[in-house]
Amino acid sequence: MTSFDTSPQLNVWRALLALAVVFVMLATTGWTALRNQREAMPLQASLESWSHGRLHGHRLPDPDTAPDRLTRFFAALTSQERVRLAQRYPLAVGNMNGAPVGLRYQANRLALLQARAVERTRMHDPRLTPAGQQEAGRRMHRFESLTAPERHILAFDPDGSGRIAEVFGDLGTAQRISVVVPGVDTDVLTFQRTKRSYSAPVGMAKALYKAERTASPSTRTAVIAWADYTAPAGLGIDSATAMRAENGAVRLNALVRALPGTSPVSLFCHSYGSVVCGVAAHALPGRVADIAVAGSPGMRVANASHLRTTARVWAMRDADDWIQDVPYLEVGGLGHGADPVSAAFGARVLSARGADGHAGYFEPGTESLFNFAEIGIGAYRSVHCAHEDEACRAGLSGTDTAGRA
């Protein structure tokens, strides 16, 4: 989910800003200690096993090495050898930037099946409270749904609240790639929703993929629902600071650098996801052509030029989005800086007509989704700007299908 979505929460958010000094002190002591207690144990165990593994007597490469080296390693293997590694180290291979995309899908399916079995056992664990057993049941059913043959899971980590990423379309042949970066309260259980489906990452990505295909059937596109970072849980210190965004930015940069091919990449960053994108911007590779933010609390900079990116920076906010009432400032690490839709910020400001509040930017039929799709396929001259002037289209060609240097 991508909200701190009620006015009482907004009041708390303001209170957090007013108590900046107190929270900064907490962030360097107790809060930090609590945060650091949550290690990704299952994934770490798989990576540890990989680091001690061998193939034909040779050590396996460091999983943290450059993606291109890992790509060369896997390319030199037979299909049977690749499958054997995925079966032996499913979480490691499934999250390994540089491993073949199809192999990651296979590995993550195996990892999900294993995680499902763990949660099925926990459902009947007498040491858990009834609430804990119910939580295990929800996780078991979610993991089961994610193993469906038509689902392409690019990343999966069951630890804690869980991290996950899913692909719609064919990454290997895509001429344009879009990445949806969601905000707070995003985890394995909120990755997909039945009610208000377009407020969750899967619904967002599905809607964007369909809109891109409708806008340009001849353009091969792929969309990634990317919830592969530990998002803030609810409203609190993490959502009011960049702590989670800094870790997320590292992971987002690693994802983009490991994507196959050279096709342009567009980032669509909602709510706190725009903080992640703002922190990541300066380190992203040149193939990132666009950074589009919606319902943003700020991008941790005072001006778009301070993002230090060659990507086009787009921003939108619905007229009824409560986030406009958040103080756009940064005090002692609290708050996320200037308003991205303000004239002074310097982003290309787009219409979000029809979005209906903070969580509706990916709803079909809205101008916000239309604009995202046009950006996703590179049809920049077709976007609907928020204002009558042409500032948001200045210097743009009609269609751009090439990456930027």
Side-chain angles (χ1 to χ4, degrees), residues 208 268 294 316-318 350-356 360-363 365-375 384:
L208 180 57
F268 298 95
M316 66 171 70
R317 186 174 63 220
D318 181 66
L350 297 165
S351 169
R353 186 177 303 166
D356 191 22
Y361 292 96
F362 290 82
E363 288 277 352
T366 59
E367 286 197 359
S368 50
L369 181 60
F370 171 87
N371 281 328
F372 282 162
E374 296 302 304
I375 291 169
H384 295 173

Side-chain angles (χ1 to χ4, degrees), residues 59-63 65-75 97-98:
R59 292 180 63 92
L60 298 173
D62 183 345
T65 196
D68 57 348
R69 184 188 167 198
L70 289 170
T71 298
R72 290 194 297 272
F73 165 75
F74 282 103
N97 290 317

Side-chain angles (χ1 to χ4, degrees), residues 175-176 219 262-264 312 377-380 397-404:
Q175 296 170 295
R176 304 277 311 194
T219 302
T262 58
S263 301
R312 304 167 189 86
I377 62 172
Y380 300 118
S397 60
T399 302
D400 182 359
T401 57
R404 302 182 71 179

Side-chain angles (χ1 to χ4, degrees), residues 159-177:
D159 186 61
S161 58
R163 297 195 301 250
I164 192 158
E166 183 172 7
V167 177
F168 300 91
D170 188 339
L171 278 178
T173 63
Q175 296 170 295
R176 304 277 311 194
I177 298 173

Side-chain angles (χ1 to χ4, degrees), residues 323-383:
I323 207 149
Q324 64 191 305
D325 297 321
V326 166
Y328 282 96
L329 49 84
E330 185 273 324
V331 179
L334 273 289
H336 300 302
D339 183 354
V341 302
S342 66
F345 189 81
R348 301 171 186 269
V349 183
L350 297 165
S351 169
R353 186 177 303 166
D356 191 22
H358 188 63
Y361 292 96
F362 290 82
E363 288 277 352
T366 59
E367 286 197 359
S368 50
L369 181 60
F370 171 87
N371 281 328
F372 282 162
E374 296 302 304
I375 291 169
I377 62 172
Y380 300 118
R381 294 295 295 178
S382 299
V383 298

Side-chain angles (χ1 to χ4, degrees), residues 124-135:
H124 307 288
D125 189 337
R127 294 171 298 178
L128 295 180
T129 64
Q133 291 175 338
Q134 290 173 4
E135 174 86 356

Side-chain angles (χ1 to χ4, degrees), residues 7 23 31 128 132 157 204 277 313 358 360 373 386:
S7 49
F23 280 121
W31 282 99
L128 295 180
D157 180 1
M204 293 176 175
C277 292
V313 180
H358 188 63

